[in-house]
Amino acid sequence: MEWETVIGLEVHTQLSTQSKLFSSASTAFGAEPNTQASIIDLGFPGVLPVLNREVVQMAIKLGLGINATITKKSIFARKNYFYPDLPKGYQISQYELPVVGKGFLDIILEDGSTKRIQITRAHLEEDAGKSLHEDFHGLSGIDLNRAGTPLLEIVSEPDMRSAKEAIAYLKALHSLVRYLEICDGNMQEGSFRCDANVSVRRKGDSKFGTRTELKNINSFRFIERAINFEVERQIALIESGGTVKQETRLYDPNKNETRTMRSKEEANDYRYFPDPDLLPLVITDEMIESVRSNLPELPQQKRQRFMDQYGLTAYDATVLVSSKPLADYFEIVVKESGNQPKLAANWIMGDLSAALNKDDIEITACHVSAKQLGKLIQRISDNTISGKIAKTIFETLWNKEGNDVDEIIEKQGLKQVTDTGAIEKLIDQILSDNADKVAEYRSGKDKLFGFFVGLAMKASGGKMNPQQLNEVLKKKLAG
Amino acid sequence: MNYKFITEFSNALHTKKISSVELTRYFLDRIKKFDKQLNSFITVCEDEALKEAKKADELLAKGQAHALTGIPIAHKDIFCTQGIKTSCGSKMLDNFISPYDATVVKKFKEAGTVLLGKTNMDEFAMGSSNENSFYGPVKNPWDLSVVPGGSSGGSAAAVAAHLAPAATGTDTGGSIRQPAGLCGITGIKPTYGRVSRYGMIAFASSLDQGGPFARSAADVALLLNAMSGFDEHDSTSVNKVVPDYSSTLDQPLNGLRIGLPKEYFGKGLDPEISKLIHEAVEEFKKLGATIHEINLPNTELSIPAYYVVAPAECSSNLARFDGVRYGYRCDNPKDLEDLYKRSRSEGFGSEVKRRIMIGTYALSAGYYDAYYLKAQKIRCLIRNDFVEAFKKVDIILGPTSPTTAFKIGEKVDDPVSMYLSDIYTIAVNLAGLPGISIPAGFVNKLPVGMQLIANYFEEGRLLNVAHRFQTVTDWHTKIPEGF
Amino acid sequence: MSLTTDDVKKIAHLARLNMSETNITLYTKQLSNILNFVEQMNQANTANIEPLAHPLDLTQRLRDDIVIEKKSARYFSNDCTQSGSRTLSRAQSD
């Protein structure tokens, strides 16, 4: 029995405007409860919404970034339901005519191939406030600071077939909105919220299975785990004769399981209708062109350019463009290294990444500047130092125990030995000290080559140029 | 104090014959003396009024006053007034002190008016008789046993009984024009978007408009000028210059084409009222107008369409009244559901609940197309009727109501029969056109109103035609006996 | 269009209104009457007619993205939810 997973994703991105979608209150995160809610956000009698221009620009940016149609005339609709964090008793959203229509996002799979994920639509809506259940002794506190903050909800088609694909899509989208500077992508603060619709079906089935919705998961790692758990759960359920119930489920990262959300009663009838306090939003070709001409180079374009210009693999290019600061860092390193993109990529994705992860910091807080890394790589490529030695220099730089690569090389005497004469002399010495091993090698024990390399490296304090060492050693051993 | 009209009061103030404090005291005393019979005020702001009157007198002394400086005004209790109770005629907002001023209130403050108080109204503007108020019904000063009309019954009765020279109202299906007609005064509903809705508690957002009541078209012109204009806080507010309505009042009517819709003179209209309207038409002929018969074929459909669109929008607009952040909250709620349901059921009156239910139903899954969408399409048909008519005529004329004021309690148990009395006014809101009601006589001692409708943003023309009529008739000068 | 009491109960719940048994019967009758009345709309031929959401053919105006510091929720709730004594209508206190 072969099973296929079907995943669709809905992402709510909080747009990084100064003021709210329909009011002039601030959207800044972290203020004292209920200090950033105006009478409009509070739904007082008689108040009216007026649309934020910047939000429209951002929606257009997103639309262009996902190659979507921008709806020339979109409508705001009211979604009616009762909840204390929804002051007006309705949310202003978009229903039949969203501002952004069909688009797509290409993702890179683990094997390096590309898959195109279709995006159904993206629409504007206002955020609700927050309900806080702790600290209130059986009651709930409502903080309306968030009420009215602009959201852009991006809905994908159910095109993903594994948790890994889902994560690739989310990361690509996350990177895109940050490149476009429309969302800060801070999942901890709720700026980028992912809901996953997960279902399974027997391979070959054309109909979709019943799906469940996984909500409120705020890290990529947890989303991946949650999806995997849910898929297993559904398969087990069906195989044991049960049926999947259409419901919303939460993920418990401690237990690594999903469970039914405290059932929010029967499906709500939202009674959508066009908001009579707002008029149709008209977007002109001029507006779109103006936004298009000011777009930064987008991740997909940059990725292709990195592959073409720097000869990088698809995989490496994808990783390096995943954030704009990282991509910029890479390009500076390449320049400073005297054009060594392969080395630059390896170092950034290897040692540098490891150091960032270890200290849990972003590239923007990196302890080694792009210039420094570039210089370091240049010294490797011009044979001043070996790759091995470079790693120690890197550590010195990272720990701020030294500042200038050449100075460190000088001070610690790390220059690589490249003088053929010196190498020959050292090797002659080693071979004569280990004549028995030389004999064994000559009689067929090829593996002993590494033994001699090790001795040579040790004797030279690691400063021998590996290629030259290998050449000379081979020659000498051959007799 | 033998002045009746704002124009006269204003002149007297500017020529120092009276002071604003005197004028304000005069009306406050009349309110104290007469309002027990009418119940037209919910809140009277005596201290604030006298303070504002004093300030107005200072401006008048300095020569920095305008036409409305020092003129007392009453606001329908649907307009938010900062620091002052704003109840919307409902128990739901009986304890609500507004933290801000509606734009209309702000504009009148800037024009220098003096706030006498907040007037009674049908709860949340839903009603045609002012019998649906938490604060009790308002009586018609012409006959205390009949209704003044609604929902702006308090404002109309107050102006008719001369308890205030000016008052504001709102009109969603006729709630300014109908009470103006039933109370023998002048009231105008401007073009949709002419007057800001910010701070005007919403009933049906695509139909609501605020407008003034006064004794004459000339007075109304002054008030409309003060309250009209673009407001950045209202997305549906129109950015169009407000002409000086007073400057065109006296233009002659030669060549004016007046249309009489066949549908407005059918059965259902009291024949005595029809007679008065036709007499008024004769006056217009004498003034130089030509009369034409026109058709507004979808007139009857306006009522069912309205009674779907308006309740639908109101069911959503009133969802914010939930006992959580302000307004009425039930005692000792058991849980969230109980808080919502009891606060709303106890806070709202029965007509409001009825309309919320109808509106909720009309928008609900499976019914949206058949009701709400269908009603909006009929709205388009109705608008097209008017567009066609205005190709042939400049003004449409007819009665404001099919009958004179009915007895208090007569229609309370039959909502549909109440709705039918809006037949002449509702279509105007659906189309968003401006309409005015002016006194046209009496039948059995009860006032009869005549409605004039003009094309979009032609309030100036409406006021001009109304004013010219008022120069050759004196219906608008009458004050009810005993007041 | 006749509503059943079940319909009325559902609508009342959507609208967060309580309905006593007597009210349910009364509302069922009144709402059915109103709905019957509005059925008249079906007489009209509205094929090819666009719904008119707003009387004027206007489009949404945009506001600049600037924060305007105004008083916040705390201020409002203190000021507005007084019950009883402080908000006695002056007209009533005469």
Side-chain angles (χ1 to χ4, degrees):
Chain A
M1 185 77 66
E2 280 251 45
W3 290 96
E4 183 176 61
T5 304
V6 174
I7 303 167
L9 294 165
E10 286 166 22
V11 176
H12 288 85
T13 57
Q14 218 168 61
L15 297 177
S16 47
T17 53
Q18 301 294 319
S19 64
K20 295 185 177 178
L21 182 53
F22 293 114
S23 86
S24 302
S26 166
T27 55
F29 183 82
E32 278 260 324
N34 292 317
T35 53
Q36 280 175 191
S38 72
I39 48 177
I40 293 169
D41 306 315
L42 291 167
F44 265 57
V47 298
L48 295 171
V50 185
L51 184 58
N52 185 331
R53 182 192 311 279
E54 186 62 25
V55 159
V56 179
Q57 312 272 51
M58 290 184 169
I60 297 173
K61 275 190 188 170
L62 188 275
L64 293 173
I66 59 171
N67 307 285
T69 43
I70 312 278
T71 309
K72 295 293 176 59
K73 202 175 197 189
S74 66
I75 305 287
F76 286 99
R78 292 189 184 178
K79 179 179 182 181
N80 298 282
Y81 65 95
F82 284 89
Y83 203 63
D85 65 7
L86 191 69
K88 295 190 295 294
Y90 60 85
Q91 175 196 34
I92 304 179
S93 176
Q94 294 189 297
Y95 187 57
E96 288 175 327
L97 283 173
V99 61
V100 171
K102 287 192 196 297
F104 60 83
L105 202 54
D106 290 335
I107 61 173
I108 312 298
L109 304 177
E110 282 193 327
D111 63 1
S113 62
T114 317
K115 180 170 176 173
R116 179 158 290 184
I117 305 294
Q118 298 296 333
I119 293 176
T120 321
R121 55 186 267 156
H123 69 258
L124 290 167
E125 59 182 28
E126 48 177 7
D127 209 346
K130 276 210 192 112
S131 297
L132 307 158
H133 303 294
E134 307 116 23
D135 305 333
F136 287 102
H137 312 294
L139 305 171
S140 291
I142 309 288
D143 175 11
L144 293 171
N145 282 350
R146 203 181 64 177
T149 305
L151 297 176
L152 190 56
E153 179 178 341
I154 304 164
V155 182
S156 83
E157 290 287 325
D159 286 352
M160 285 145 285
R161 295 287 172 269
S162 70
K164 289 240 181 288
E165 284 185 13
I167 301 304
Y169 169 81
L170 290 174
K171 285 190 170 168
L173 190 59
H174 186 259
S175 162
L176 178 64
V177 299
R178 291 173 67 197
Y179 262 82
L180 292 171
E181 293 178 340
I182 62 177
C183 172
D184 67 17
N186 188 326
M187 291 172 80
Q188 260 57 37
E189 289 180 2
S191 310
F192 191 86
R193 296 173 227 160
C194 315
D195 296 339
N197 290 308
V198 181
S199 68
V200 297
R201 65 181 174 188
R202 292 192 167 73
K203 255 214 162 72
D205 250 0
S206 57
K207 260 185 72 191
F208 287 132
T210 308
R211 63 168 203 258
T212 59
E213 188 185 19
L214 305 179
K215 272 181 108 74
N216 286 346
I217 314 172
N218 64 1
S219 85
F220 293 135
R221 204 166 358 128
F222 289 162
I223 294 171
E224 187 170 353
R225 287 202 207 145
I227 293 175
N228 284 328
F229 175 87
E230 182 60 17
V231 167
E232 292 302 310
R233 184 191 77 87
Q234 289 190 14
I235 291 175
L237 183 59
I238 299 173
E239 282 183 340
S240 71
T243 44
V244 176
K245 210 166 56 145
Q246 182 170 335
E247 58 180 353
T248 305
R249 296 176 73 86
L250 295 174
Y251 176 68
D252 182 341
N254 297 322
K255 298 203 183 124
N256 189 32
E257 60 181 29
T258 65
R259 53 167 195 277
T260 312
M261 210 161 140
R262 220 178 341 133
S263 79
K264 232 166 157 193
E265 46 168 304
E266 342 78 43
N268 241 316
D269 179 357
Y270 293 119
R271 289 155 281 140
Y272 284 98
F273 72 105
D275 192 326
D277 288 330
L278 294 165
L279 299 171
L281 172 60
V282 163
I283 296 179
T284 60
D285 287 331
E286 287 79 29
M287 285 166 79
I288 298 175
E289 270 324 296
S290 158
V291 172
R292 195 197 300 272
S293 59
N294 286 323
L295 278 184
E297 187 186 29
L298 296 181
Q300 299 199 117
Q301 298 163 279
K302 206 187 276 285
R303 204 181 115 256
Q304 192 58 48
R305 180 169 68 79
F306 275 19
M307 286 167 67
D308 299 336
Q309 189 178 337
Y310 301 115
L312 297 176
T313 62
Y315 180 78
D316 286 1
T318 305
V319 174
L320 290 170
V321 305
S322 65
S323 90
K324 190 161 180 296
L326 186 64
D328 291 345
Y329 188 96
F330 168 76
E331 293 206 89
I332 296 174
V333 170
V334 170
K335 189 161 134 254
E336 294 293 320
S337 70
N339 199 26
Q340 300 292 328
K342 205 66 193 88
L343 272 176
N346 288 345
W347 268 88
I348 291 173
M349 287 162 62
D351 288 68
L352 186 75
S353 242
L356 289 170
N357 281 339
K358 186 152 161 279
D359 286 3
D360 197 19
I361 52 178
E362 294 286 321
I363 187 71
T364 41
C366 187
H367 294 177
V368 175
S369 76
K371 251 180 137 182
Q372 288 173 316
L373 184 58
K375 187 42 121 344
L376 186 64
I377 290 173
Q378 191 178 47
R379 289 289 171 262
I380 299 173
S381 80
D382 68 16
N383 278 326
T384 307
I385 51 172
S386 67
K388 206 160 175 236
I389 293 292
K391 286 187 192 254
T392 58
I393 298 178
F394 179 82
E395 266 206 51
T396 308
L397 290 169
W398 185 268
N399 297 328
K400 303 271 183 202
E401 286 158 9
N403 188 315
D404 179 81
V405 172
D406 286 332
E407 263 181 41
I408 297 172
I409 294 175
E410 217 25 70
K411 238 202 196 144
Q412 298 184 19
L414 297 173
K415 267 213 178 93
Q416 188 168 237
V417 176
T418 51
D419 170 16
T420 318
I423 295 177
E424 292 202 356
K425 205 158 151 231
L426 196 80
I427 290 179
D428 284 337
Q429 183 69 50
I430 289 171
L431 292 188
S432 74
D433 286 345
N434 294 277
D436 51 339
K437 290 285 195 288
V438 174
E440 280 182 53
Y441 179 82
R442 285 189 179 145
S443 71
K445 259 199 169 163
D446 291 340
K447 291 213 177 112
L448 282 175
F449 193 85
F451 168 73
F452 293 114
V453 171
L455 284 182
M457 278 302 186
K458 204 159 153 218
S460 69
K463 285 187 242 168
M464 215 176 271
N465 178 297
Q467 286 97 305
Q468 282 177 280
L469 163 59
N470 280 356
E471 269 175 46
V472 173
L473 188 58
K474 253 203 200 116
K475 209 171 84 203
K476 297 254 174 210
L477 283 171
Chain B
M1 189 77 71
N2 41 10
Y3 309 110
K4 255 189 224 153
F5 300 102
I6 296 174
T7 43
E8 292 173 342
F9 289 123
S10 183
N11 192 34
L13 285 168
H14 280 82
T15 54
K16 313 277 190 292
K17 295 209 181 80
I18 52 170
S19 72
S20 177
V21 169
E22 280 177 73
L23 185 58
T24 303
R25 276 231 173 80
Y26 169 71
F27 284 109
L28 287 170
D29 289 343
R30 283 183 66 83
I31 292 170
K32 276 205 191 89
K33 185 165 170 205
F34 294 112
D35 200 44
K36 278 189 204 59
Q37 300 172 57
L38 299 176
N39 197 26
S40 65
F41 277 85
I42 292 175
T43 304
V44 178
C45 307
E46 180 156 351
D47 294 340
E48 286 97 339
L50 290 169
K51 264 198 219 112
E52 288 173 17
K54 207 156 154 269
K55 276 213 202 87
D57 281 331
E58 285 163 23
L59 288 174
L60 283 156
K62 283 193 241 173
Q64 289 170 358
H66 305 290
L68 292 176
T69 307
I71 300 290
I73 191 169
H75 287 308
K76 182 174 181 180
D77 212 11
I78 198 172
F79 288 101
C80 287
T81 41
Q82 186 172 11
I84 298 172
K85 167 172 164 161
T86 301
S87 74
C88 223
S90 180
K91 181 174 179 184
M92 184 57 90
L93 292 178
D94 179 49
N95 69 356
F96 179 68
I97 311 276
S98 175
Y100 74 112
D101 272 337
T103 299
V104 161
V105 170
K106 230 164 114 208
K107 285 173 101 82
F108 273 119
K109 266 190 191 162
E110 283 160 12
T113 57
V114 170
L115 179 61
L116 287 171
K118 311 294 291 298
T119 56
N120 203 344
M121 52 181 283
D122 276 308
E123 193 184 347
F124 286 106
M126 300 182 207
S128 311
S129 64
N130 220 133
E131 294 172 285
N132 295 326
S133 169
F134 174 60
Y135 302 96
V138 174
K139 319 279 176 57
N140 191 322
W142 294 93
D143 176 342
L144 299 176
S145 71
V146 307
V147 302
S151 59
S152 315
S155 284
V159 168
H162 208 53
L163 304 190
T168 52
T170 60
D171 190 315
T172 306
S175 294
I176 290 176
R177 292 160 289 152
Q178 186 247 30
L182 299 188
C183 287
I185 58 171
T186 302
I188 188 170
K189 179 202 89 68
T191 310
Y192 184 84
R194 177 83 283 183
V195 170
S196 166
R197 290 188 301 112
Y198 186 72
M200 197 176 98
I201 298 176
F203 159 23
S205 315
S206 73
L207 302 168
D208 294 343
Q209 264 297 276
F213 288 103
R215 302 208 82 87
S216 70
D219 284 358
V220 164
L222 284 172
L223 298 171
L224 188 61
N225 258 116
M227 69 194 291
S228 299
F230 174 68
D231 181 11
E232 58 178 9
H233 291 109
D234 176 358
S235 291
T236 58
S237 167
V238 175
N239 197 353
K240 217 171 146 72
V241 163
V242 182
D244 180 356
Y245 298 123
S246 306
S247 68
T248 46
L249 287 172
D250 283 307
Q251 276 177 4
L253 304 186
N254 302 79
L256 181 76
R257 301 166 302 166
I258 297 182
L260 302 183
K262 202 171 75 174
E263 293 77 6
Y264 286 12
F265 293 92
K267 68 176 168 75
L269 175 63
D270 180 336
E272 294 297 303
I273 292 182
S274 184
K275 194 154 142 260
L276 280 176
I277 301 298
H278 283 98
E279 282 169 19
V281 167
E282 290 306 309
E283 292 298 335
F284 281 115
K285 278 192 183 148
K286 284 193 217 143
L287 288 167
T290 55
I291 312 297
H292 311 260
E293 198 187 63
I294 57 168
N295 284 344
L296 297 172
N298 291 291
T299 298
E300 278 210 12
L301 289 174
S302 62
I303 304 189
Y306 173 86
Y307 280 100
V308 168
V309 172
E313 293 182 7
C314 101
S315 70
S316 180
N317 284 330
L318 268 60
R320 67 191 62 198
F321 301 110
D322 55 13
V324 174
R325 295 167 311 295
Y326 52 78
Y328 179 80
R329 182 190 279 201
C330 62
D331 286 329
N332 304 318
K334 280 197 319 254
D335 55 29
L336 185 62
E337 285 300 294
D338 189 40
L339 172 72
Y340 283 151
K341 289 186 172 172
R342 265 202 300 135
S343 299
R344 288 166 64 79
S345 303
E346 291 168 18
F348 289 137
S350 36
E351 182 61 29
V352 168
K353 284 192 265 203
R354 234 186 320 269
R355 298 209 194 180
I356 290 176
M357 299 277 283
I358 289 285
T360 305
Y361 183 75
L363 291 174
S364 63
Y367 297 107
Y368 178 83
D369 283 6
Y371 290 104
Y372 190 74
L373 206 57
K374 183 84 182 178
Q376 297 282 50
K377 289 182 178 181
I378 289 182
R379 205 173 163 174
C380 190
L381 290 178
I382 288 171
R383 193 269 309 266
N384 294 347
D385 280 357
F386 282 108
V387 167
E388 277 312 299
F390 282 121
K391 288 186 183 149
K392 302 194 204 104
V393 301
D394 307 306
I395 292 274
I396 295 172
L397 184 156
T400 306
S401 304
T403 62
T404 52
F406 43 88
K407 293 272 183 216
I408 292 178
E410 186 182 312
K411 297 201 182 179
V412 152
D413 293 321
D414 187 0
V416 173
S417 128
M418 185 83 82
Y419 299 163
L420 289 170
S421 57
D422 298 326
I423 181 78
Y424 304 129
T425 51
I426 273 185
V428 178
N429 299 81
L430 290 171
L433 293 164
I436 191 173
S437 176
I438 55 178
F442 293 84
V443 167
N444 298 328
K445 302 209 181 128
L446 289 175
V448 167
M450 169 171 62
Q451 181 183 224
L452 306 169
I453 306 165
N455 214 337
Y456 297 102
F457 296 105
E458 301 228 327
E459 288 82 2
R461 194 201 287 270
L462 277 180
L463 289 164
N464 159 228
V465 174
H467 173 73
R468 296 293 288 147
F469 181 77
Q470 288 177 349
T471 56
V472 297
T473 56
D474 66 355
W475 304 119
H476 64 291
T477 64
K478 310 282 186 217
I479 294 191
E481 230 181 273
F483 287 94
Chain C
M1 173 79 205
S2 265
L3 293 179
T4 63
T5 49
D6 259 352
D7 291 329
V8 173
K9 284 191 187 140
K10 278 205 195 98
I11 300 168
H13 175 66
L14 271 180
R16 296 302 185 273
L17 293 170
N18 271 337
M19 286 279 143
S20 65
E21 287 309 314
T22 8
N23 274 337
I24 292 187
T25 323
L26 179 65
Y27 274 98
T28 307
K29 182 155 154 280
Q30 286 181 339
L31 296 181
S32 297
N33 282 344
I34 296 174
L35 289 173
N36 278 328
F37 172 69
V38 304
E39 295 283 305
Q40 288 176 56
M41 293 196 300
N42 294 330
Q43 292 165 24
N45 179 4
T46 52
N48 303 322
I49 301 287
E50 282 302 303
L52 189 70
H54 277 106
L56 307 167
D57 201 13
L58 295 172
T59 58
Q60 180 61 35
R61 186 169 25 91
L62 302 175
R63 158 182 68 87
D64 289 335
D65 184 28
I66 309 174
V67 172
I68 296 180
E69 297 296 335
K70 285 219 179 111
K71 293 187 176 140
S72 64
R74 283 204 182 135
Y75 167 80
F76 297 137
S77 44
N78 281 340
D79 245 32
C80 301
T81 55
Q82 302 303 308
S83 53
S85 44
R86 268 188 59 186
T87 67
L88 258 187
S89 148
R90 310 252 179 148
Q92 287 171 11
S93 66
D94 260 349

